[in-house]
Amino acid sequence: MIDQNEFPSDADPFDIAPVRLTVDLGALAENWRDMARRSGSARTAAVVKADAYGLGLEDCGETLYEAGARDFFVAVVQEGVTLRAYAPEARIFVLSGIWPGQERMFFENDLVPVIASEEQLAFWMSVLVEFGDYPCALQVDTGFNRLGLPMQDALALAEDVSRPASFSPVLVLSHLHSGDTPSAASSKAQLESFRQVSAAFEGIESSLSASAGIFLGPEYHFDLTRPGIALYGGEAVNGMKPLRPVATAEARIVQIREAAVGSTVSYGATHQLERASRLAIASVGYADGYLRSLSGSGIPLRTGGTGGGFGFIGGYRVPVIGRITMDLTIFDVTDVPDGAVRSGDYIELFGPNMPVDEVARAAGTIGYEMLTSLGLRHERRYLEAE
């Protein structure tokens, strides 16, 4: 029988993890300060929905609060409940609004619902009748055709003298659908529409711009900006260099194997080697959010001519070869010098040497999806902000 005492138990889980994620909270805080500077006279919120874009709501929320953020946006009420413990004096807006049965969660955690439809508005009015005054925000659709009251309905609501006095929104907001494309004429059209809304709700703060809109200039900033992806090191505007990288994902190399010319690699034998090759088998797959569409071959849905993803190890970019599987990915490390890569080493999947948006484009998607798809198996290390 094996004596368990013979094995050390003090190993750092991060150092032995199959897949791991480093989150630089200092870079996150500095990215928020950068976006606050770019927002000029407008206050700057922080969008932390989807577990802070996959990087951890608790740690990221607390870091952003300590950096100075006092307005936060989450997608659903449960996120707001979690965040409240880490942002005690902040205003926390819930973008999906409020539904019957959620009243206690909102009131006990001092969360602000974003009213985004006629149905929600009617329900909210009934809540106010029963519970009295309570703040809300009002979302108006200026051309997205997603959430928000139709613009004409919002203008009529602003002018409705019979509107209950207890209905007192603290913010009106809308969202640009093409803010990441600076040349899009639609952003100017949405801006003009939102100016009408803002004027109709005189005396109430207004917010139009998420990350991309902040870069469009001061006229888009209004009273409050709402940066999201830019905080986490992703591209906010197409073709523009992102801010500081925040997340680095790595996978351990389980095995390095020699493969003969003419042999095939991975499921479906979709890649045939044209040279004798050295292959590194890494312990990451689509179960960890390393998307199958990054495969080096055998992916009929991917278009645009891309050959698949790359990793970074030993100072070299190395291609994914063959299909990515649930738990394993194969990289071609033939061109990496002998001794520069060994079993047990970690390969960078995305991070400072492999920008997350570059990896995402190889997968036919966007950095948002790469970050929010991170699986549960990543062992996490947070580098504290000063």
Side-chain angles (χ1 to χ4, degrees), residues 156-228:
L157 178 64
E159 298 169 1
D160 186 357
V161 295
S162 65
R163 187 179 77 194
S166 57
F167 177 70
S168 51
V170 297
L171 184 72
V172 291
L173 66 147
S174 191
H175 196 62
L176 299 170
H177 59 70
S178 299
D180 57 354
T181 305
S183 61
S186 58
S187 293
K188 182 68 74 172
Q190 284 191 265
L191 172 63
E192 294 306 319
S193 294
F194 190 65
R195 280 176 169 159
Q196 296 181 52
V197 173
S198 179
F201 286 91
E202 186 179 3
I204 297 172
E205 291 187 335
S206 302
S207 178
L208 176 62
S209 291
S211 293
I214 293 171
F215 289 95
L216 292 178
E219 61 184 338
Y220 287 86
H221 295 170
F222 291 87
D223 300 297
L224 181 71
T225 61
R226 315 185 306 268

Side-chain angles (χ1 to χ4, degrees), residues 103-267:
E103 299 93 328
R104 182 179 296 276
M105 298 174 74
F106 273 87
F107 297 158
E108 290 184 350
N109 294 279
D110 192 22
L111 307 177
V112 182
V114 178
I115 306 303
S117 69
E118 293 288 356
E119 294 84 356
Q120 283 192 343
L121 180 61
F123 171 65
W124 183 242
M125 294 294 195
S126 70
V127 169
L128 295 178
V129 168
E130 182 175 356
F131 294 98
D133 293 1
Y134 192 83
C136 71
L138 185 68
Q139 184 164 180
V140 181
D141 177 36
T142 55
F144 202 131
N145 265 329
R146 194 172 61 171
L147 289 179
L149 265 65
M151 185 173 160
Q152 294 308 314
D153 291 353
L155 295 175
L157 178 64
E159 298 169 1
D160 186 357
V161 295
S162 65
R163 187 179 77 194
S166 57
F167 177 70
S168 51
V170 297
L171 184 72
V172 291
L173 66 147
S174 191
H175 196 62
L176 299 170
H177 59 70
S178 299
D180 57 354
T181 305
S183 61
S186 58
S187 293
K188 182 68 74 172
Q190 284 191 265
L191 172 63
E192 294 306 319
S193 294
F194 190 65
R195 280 176 169 159
Q196 296 181 52
V197 173
S198 179
F201 286 91
E202 186 179 3
I204 297 172
E205 291 187 335
S206 302
S207 178
L208 176 62
S209 291
S211 293
I214 293 171
F215 289 95
L216 292 178
E219 61 184 338
Y220 287 86
H221 295 170
F222 291 87
D223 300 297
L224 181 71
T225 61
R226 315 185 306 268
I229 189 64
L231 304 181
Y232 306 101
E235 288 182 8
V237 177
N238 295 332
M240 179 181 291
K241 183 180 178 181
L243 303 183
R244 300 152 193 82
V246 173
T248 301
E250 299 171 293
R252 168 165 271 174
I253 294 175
V254 180
Q255 182 186 34
I256 295 177
R257 61 185 305 120
E258 304 293 332
V261 61
S263 62
T264 61
V265 181
S266 196
Y267 280 127

Side-chain angles (χ1 to χ4, degrees), residues 12-20 250-257 279-284 312-314 328-329 331 333 339-348:
D12 186 332
F14 187 84
D15 293 333
I16 59 175
V19 283
R20 63 191 193 183
E250 299 171 293
R252 168 165 271 174
I253 294 175
V254 180
Q255 182 186 34
I256 295 177
R257 61 185 305 120
L279 307 180
I281 320 302
S283 56
V284 65
F312 186 87
I313 192 166
L328 298 168
T329 298
F331 293 89
V333 295
V341 54
R342 297 171 298 176
S343 295
D345 289 347
Y346 284 89
I347 186 168
E348 181 182 316

Side-chain angles (χ1 to χ4, degrees), residues 23-41:
V23 180
D24 186 342
L25 296 175
L28 174 68
E30 192 52 44
N31 285 348
W32 182 84
R33 295 187 189 101
D34 192 328
M35 296 305 282
R37 287 190 290 269
R38 295 174 188 270
S39 296
S41 61

